[in-house]
Amino acid sequence: MSITMDTTLASLVTNKRRVSALKSLGIVTVGDALTYYPFRVTEPVPLRAIREAAPGQQMAFAAVIRDMRVVPMNARRGYRLEATVDDADFARSRRVPGSTARLTFFSYRKSYVDWVSMRLRAGTSVVVSGMPSEYMGQLQFTHPEILTVAPGSAGAGAGLEGYARGAASGNGAFAGSTDPYASVQSAYPPAAAASSGAALKYDADTVQEALTRVCRPRPVYHASSRISSEHIHETILGLLWMMGARTSSTPDGQLAGAGAAGIVAPPTDTIAVQNGEENSGTTAESGAEALSQSIPDVLPESVRKAKNLMHRAEAFLAIHDPASTTRFKEAIETLRYEEAFVSQTSLLKARSHAHKSAAHSCPLVTDSLRDQFIASLPFSLTAGQQQVIHDIAADLAHDWPMQRLLQGEVGSGKTVVALAAMLQAVDAGYQAVLVAPTQVLAEQHAETIGRMVEQLKPAIPVTLLTGGMKLAARRKALAAASSGEPGIIVATHAAFSKTFQAPHLALVVIDEQHRFGVEQRESLNAKTDDGTTPHLLVMTATPIPRTAAMTWFGDLDISWLTELPGGRKPIRTVVVNEADAATMGRMFAHIRARVDAGERAYIVCPRIDADDEGNEGGSGVSAAAGSARGRTAASGSSARTAAGGRATRAAADAIGIDDPYETFDENGETVARPPLHAVAEIADRLQKLPQFQGIRFATLTGRDKDDVKTQVMADFAGGETPILVSTTVIEVGVDVKQASCIVIFDADRYGLSQLHQLRGRVGRGGTNSWAFLISRAEPGSPAEQRLEVIHHSLDGAEIAQADLEFRGAGDVLGDAQSGGKSSLKLLRVVKDADMIADARTRAEQLLAADPELADEVQLAGAVLDFTRGNETFLTSS
């Protein structure tokens, strides 16, 4: 069986529980496993004799077992195993006197104790790695890592003279290979070994080999309660062995020769060793060749040599089995540059492809509808709006499709800019479509646009098309669109259906771009009968730093609206500790006063209700934007319930937070957090407060039907239910001018950009407004630091920059950060700006010489995979 990056783990790993646990982390194929990068690597373990030990400082040494005993623990159920070791030979090699120490193990399982007892029989040579402590006046190692050494290796001191010279400084970085399969702490005794007299399998042939293994740096992976970092590492090394790796990556960039410790063949109860692969006589050279054939390089050879980077196979080996921390970092840099190069190549190809397509030219005409519209506005356009409208007008006049990203602060007037562009297309005799992510927002857009164009001559038809319309109304809207009559169509996802036809479509405007995937947007390109591609204008109010925008949206022209129209007052932001009852009470009294003054208030919760299983489909966040979270490095363990346990993916989908921040301990395990607040729970609690006696509440979630959402919003805007308790379904585009207060529960668990979006729902009518961020963050914690950023800033770009630094690029930009299959795991948009620029320059040179990548088959495949894997980012190819 030939193993490739696409081979499934289920066909290779015999332990099905492990296959299931890895799948929960998003690891399904060999490629998923090799790109599941460790979040840190341990420092090399220094060699020290027992007399050189310092309590609390990790160390490794070779010794001989002098005696061993098992003591039942009478006060508590279980056993204590104690073994005394003597390092006389090893200490002599380091020119210090020998000494003894005690190794101690505790377990409730008799089988485990029996197995350890069999391994630690008197006279056995061992290598020990652990943290020393002192107990009853004697040096003790509790649950250290133990490697047993086969007899006949000429004693525990054999071959140690070189180590004595090289390790006197305490540096334990040796060229060799970690052997996770031999870990006492994580291994289970084989069934055969549990019985008396069974043949004992030793962990290493020589003391030198064992010392090499325990002293090497070890990668640590984000784990879960179902699988440990050690077992993840074990599986990945087993896969590398099966693909041909027999020796580990050494600092000189070559695979180690015959003298180096090799990657140990995985046990057959973990990995299904293929026929012929059990032969360990493979040479280093043939092993390296086999691994490079299984893992071909993606970067062009000329680029790799110019940047002095590793081969891809070598980089994977150096990351998952590092000879040194330096080598690990070099490998990470290699794959980080690979991501930069692939992403930039993909974006450049997309841009080139777009410019080769044909589009309807929509030049400005005399006394245009656009100019009539601008003249009819009751306010003056900002300088930014005027500039962007001018740039779009020039783009629309071309006979190739415009591809422009319009980024603007909440309330900066993006809708006016989009309407000006649509009127230019209509004036040229074509159709324009505005696609909104929700029915509520689509209806608001249709009403607003209809009101703005009603005085224009000739009359402009505005058609609303949503999935929740009555059948007769929907048929009428579809017929109007299919007629090809010049006009404006405002639609939801219904615009992506096969029944929607707009034969004279010249312009597509996507509002809140991160709610739609590339395939959806491309489906609109096929709506024209004449083979032209519509012009594309995508808009977002999610602030994206320039470096991030240039990185991800390199196939688009980018415009920014940074000025707010006159009359907008700054929103006062207050962070409230939920445990501070007095402040919470004053906040509710303040909200009641604002409601009595005729204003409105939003109360936002991340969950619909406390029933995890019942939350399917729930928060109003699309499947793209709300799926279970994988983190940038695919932590995979964040699909947790509010109570801190594991949840189903459907339950995780119901959380309205765009990407719950995970907290991990030093071993990559997720740390349980308090339960998230739910809409039903908070609505019930607030209605019982004395501050809200006589006030009607309404609730709104993504689970509600479209007609219910419309009615709830109408009652809220009209004042019948002046307090609305909702999920983040109100995050995008909802415009109620009387809303002056918003309370966001669990604010410490939101991304800063999402908090900024939610905060923008208030203060839209020129009144004083407040945003209350309810937090349970610990003092001095990263969560508290994040809230301080949004507490002190109303600048979306500044907030986005901080969010980017806190969370990584994916989380800020839309969806793949939320558990989508992002191809990017290492690239840091801000810190790697220079690397990205270099990759873009080299990619431009490569595409100029080979536009179709005919000579770079592997790169072409990686570019295709990148486009597919990141279709929820704002790319337009």
Side-chain angles (χ1 to χ4, degrees):
M1 175 182 174
S2 177
I3 301 174
T4 68
M5 297 286 278
D6 295 323
T7 303
T8 62
L9 294 190
S11 65
L12 302 175
V13 179
T14 56
N15 187 329
K16 299 309 175 187
R17 291 182 64 183
R18 183 172 296 189
V19 171
S20 176
L22 290 168
K23 185 177 181 180
S24 72
L25 301 180
I27 304 173
V28 178
T29 66
V30 171
D32 294 334
L34 296 185
T35 56
Y36 191 82
Y37 301 118
F39 69 94
R40 69 180 177 91
V41 64
T42 63
E43 289 298 320
V45 178
L47 289 176
R48 292 177 185 157
I50 292 176
R51 285 189 179 274
E52 298 172 303
Q57 296 183 15
Q58 191 84 6
M59 60 177 283
F61 62 95
V64 175
I65 303 292
R66 291 306 178 206
D67 60 68
M68 183 271 300
R69 64 175 184 150
V70 176
V71 181
M73 294 186 291
N74 296 326
R76 294 180 293 169
R77 205 165 44 83
Y79 305 88
R80 182 178 76 252
L81 184 148
E82 296 179 347
T84 303
V85 294
D86 181 344
D87 74 337
D89 290 341
F90 177 74
R92 189 180 306 116
S93 72
R94 294 183 60 83
R95 298 177 175 81
V96 296
S99 186
T100 61
R102 182 167 53 215
L103 312 181
T104 305
F105 301 86
F106 299 93
S107 180
Y108 292 111
R109 295 173 54 221
K110 185 65 164 59
S111 61
Y112 173 77
V113 173
D114 290 343
W115 178 65
V116 176
S117 301
M118 189 167 59
R119 300 181 79 230
L120 302 187
R121 292 175 294 190
T124 302
S125 294
V126 295
V127 166
V128 181
S129 174
M131 190 86 71
S133 60
E134 188 175 338
Y135 179 72
M136 302 287 288
Q138 186 175 4
L139 199 68
Q140 174 175 282
F141 293 81
T142 304
H143 282 277
E145 179 179 359
I146 303 288
L147 296 188
T148 57
V149 181
S153 60
L160 295 177
E161 289 76 11
Y163 279 86
R165 291 190 298 271
S169 64
N171 183 354
F174 306 111
S177 176
T178 305
D179 181 11
Y181 309 104
S183 172
V184 168
Q185 300 176 63
S186 62
Y188 291 92
S195 60
S196 176
L200 183 65
K201 180 180 179 181
Y202 293 94
D203 301 315
D205 293 331
T206 67
V207 172
Q208 179 172 336
E209 177 188 339
L211 284 170
T212 297
R213 291 180 186 168
V214 301
C215 290
R216 290 170 61 81
R218 292 197 181 186
V220 182
Y221 303 83
H222 283 312
S224 72
S225 59
R226 298 179 61 187
I227 187 168
S228 67
S229 172
E230 190 70 25
H231 282 159
I232 294 171
H233 187 209
E234 173 184 305
T235 303
I236 294 174
L237 284 189
L239 295 172
L240 286 169
W241 188 92
M242 293 183 70
M243 298 176 82
R246 296 295 185 270
T247 52
S248 110
S249 171
T250 57
D252 62 3
Q254 305 298 321
L255 288 181
I263 294 180
V264 177
T268 55
D269 59 351
T270 301
I271 299 288
V273 179
Q274 306 301 310
N275 292 334
E277 290 178 348
E278 46 289 294
N279 179 9
S280 59
T282 309
T283 65
E285 290 75 14
S286 63
E289 182 179 348
L291 188 63
S292 62
Q293 288 176 352
S294 300
I295 309 174
D297 214 347
V298 168
L299 288 174
E301 185 71 9
S302 59
V303 173
R304 188 170 70 83
K305 287 184 176 179
K307 297 294 294 182
N308 194 27
L309 301 173
M310 300 180 188
H311 187 283
R312 193 175 200 228
E314 181 79 8
F316 280 136
L317 198 55
I319 285 173
H320 297 296
D321 188 33
S324 65
T325 53
T326 299
R327 192 66 176 157
F328 174 85
K329 292 174 183 176
E330 290 173 354
I332 289 290
E333 284 302 294
T334 291
L335 294 180
R336 184 171 284 144
Y337 190 88
E338 178 188 289
E339 288 187 350
F341 194 87
V342 169
S343 66
Q344 293 307 303
T345 304
S346 177
L347 292 171
L348 288 168
K349 279 182 65 67
R351 191 179 187 91
S352 173
H353 175 74
H355 282 187
K356 293 177 182 177
S357 303
H360 292 297
S361 175
C362 303
L364 274 175
V365 296
T366 305
D367 192 27
S368 65
L369 290 170
R370 190 203 74 170
D371 292 342
Q372 290 183 47
F373 161 66
I374 293 174
S376 70
L377 290 173
F379 52 83
S380 299
L381 296 178
T382 65
Q385 286 175 311
Q386 293 177 29
Q387 182 61 50
V388 174
I389 288 173
H390 174 76
D391 293 341
I392 291 174
D395 288 346
L396 291 176
H398 294 148
D399 58 2
W400 66 81
M402 170 182 73
Q403 291 185 283
R404 184 171 291 275
L405 165 67
L406 174 57
Q407 175 179 314
E409 282 282 5
V410 174
S412 60
K414 297 185 298 297
T415 304
V416 169
V417 172
L419 181 51
M422 290 190 287
L423 289 173
Q424 184 171 337
V426 172
D427 226 357
Y430 300 110
Q431 295 169 293
V433 173
L434 170 62
V435 186
T438 67
Q439 176 163 328
V440 170
L441 186 53
E443 290 172 346
Q444 286 191 358
H445 276 317
E447 181 184 351
T448 301
I449 291 172
R451 191 169 58 246
M452 286 181 162
V453 302
E454 63 183 359
Q455 303 299 326
L456 302 184
K457 301 295 182 184
I460 308 298
V462 178
T463 304
L464 175 65
L465 176 63
T466 70
M469 297 173 71
K470 300 281 187 183
L471 182 59
R474 180 180 173 84
R475 285 177 174 171
K476 184 178 179 181
L478 288 171
S482 62
S483 71
E485 179 188 0
I488 295 172
I489 303 162
V490 181
T492 57
H493 291 74
F496 303 124
S497 69
K498 292 181 180 179
T499 57
F500 175 73
Q501 297 295 327
H504 294 157
L505 184 60
L507 172 64
V508 175
V509 180
I510 305 288
D511 193 16
E512 291 306 324
Q513 50 75 24
H514 60 281
R515 306 287 178 162
F516 303 102
V518 168
E519 289 182 350
Q520 288 178 312
R521 291 193 292 272
E522 285 203 329
S523 70
L524 288 174
N525 290 348
K527 301 300 183 183
T528 56
D529 294 335
D530 52 13
T532 59
T533 299
H535 298 281
L536 177 67
L537 174 64
V538 286
M539 305 191 297
T540 179
T542 302
I544 303 165
R546 283 178 182 265
T547 51
M550 293 304 296
T551 301
W552 294 114
F553 311 141
D555 60 332
L556 303 173
D557 296 308
I558 304 174
S559 298
W560 279 269
L561 289 178
T562 56
E563 304 169 72
L564 293 181
R568 292 292 299 269
K569 294 185 178 179
I571 302 167
R572 296 176 227 182
T573 304
V574 183
V575 179
V576 181
N577 189 317
E578 189 172 343
D580 185 350
T583 303
M584 292 285 286
R586 289 197 301 272
M587 176 188 74
F588 290 134
H590 172 79
I591 293 173
R592 174 58 188 263
R594 302 322 306 162
V595 168
D596 287 344
E599 296 169 9
R600 315 281 186 271
Y602 296 105
I603 310 289
V604 178
C605 305
R607 296 191 72 82
I608 296 176
D609 53 44
D611 179 5
D612 293 328
E613 299 302 325
N615 272 337
E616 298 187 18
S619 68
V621 179
S622 66
S627 56
R629 283 57 181 163
R631 272 305 277 148
T632 317
S635 72
S637 54
S638 49
R640 300 245 171 185
T641 64
R646 292 188 305 277
T648 63
R649 181 165 294 273
D653 284 347
I655 299 175
I657 296 176
D658 61 358
D659 185 15
Y661 288 97
E662 288 300 326
T663 53
F664 302 97
D665 62 20
E666 62 179 10
N667 293 318
E669 295 278 358
T670 51
V671 177
R673 296 177 295 178
L676 295 167
H677 289 298
V679 168
E681 163 215 351
I682 291 298
D684 183 62
R685 283 171 51 186
L686 295 187
Q687 290 179 82
K688 295 176 181 178
L689 292 178
Q691 292 96 326
F692 297 122
Q693 290 301 308
I695 297 295
R696 291 185 61 193
F697 281 67
T699 61
L700 182 67
T701 73
R703 187 188 295 161
D704 295 328
K705 294 182 178 180
D706 287 335
D707 57 341
V708 174
K709 291 178 184 176
T710 301
Q711 187 60 50
V712 167
M713 288 306 301
D715 291 345
F716 177 64
E720 293 182 37
T721 51
I723 297 181
L724 178 63
V725 185
S726 77
T727 58
T728 54
V729 70
I730 59 105
E731 173 188 355
V732 175
V734 172
D735 187 3
V736 177
K737 299 193 183 310
Q738 300 91 338
S740 63
C741 295
I742 185 167
V743 178
I744 305 172
F745 279 91
D746 295 306
D748 52 302
R749 306 274 286 275
Y750 288 78
L752 296 185
S753 292
Q754 193 177 24
L755 288 174
H756 184 60
Q757 275 271 35
L758 288 167
R759 180 171 60 179
R761 295 310 102 205
V762 298
R764 305 174 76 85
T767 60
N768 291 323
S769 53
W770 293 263
F772 299 98
L773 309 181
I774 312 302
S775 167
R776 288 181 283 187
E778 295 292 330
S781 66
E784 186 182 62
Q785 296 170 23
R786 290 194 299 269
L787 291 182
E788 282 303 302
V789 171
I790 202 158
H791 176 209
H792 294 293
S793 177
L794 293 171
D795 185 335
E798 179 183 332
I799 291 167
Q801 183 79 15
D803 211 9
L804 199 60
E805 293 168 358
F806 275 122
R807 302 202 292 168
D811 298 334
V812 177
L813 300 181
D815 161 55
Q817 73 279 12
S818 315
K821 200 173 178 60
S822 171
S823 301
L824 291 167
K825 298 179 180 179
L826 297 174
L827 198 62
R828 304 163 303 185
V829 172
V830 175
K831 294 182 180 179
D832 297 327
D834 291 342
M835 176 187 289
I836 292 164
D838 180 88
R840 190 174 184 86
T841 299
R842 294 180 188 274
E844 286 173 342
Q845 295 169 353
L846 176 68
L847 289 172
D850 185 6
E852 300 303 320
L853 300 178
D855 296 331
E856 301 293 344
V857 177
Q858 296 300 327
L859 176 60
V863 166
L864 183 61
D865 289 342
F866 173 84
T867 303
R868 290 173 176 169
N870 291 278
E871 61 190 21
T872 44
F873 285 121
L874 201 165
T875 54
S876 54
S877 62

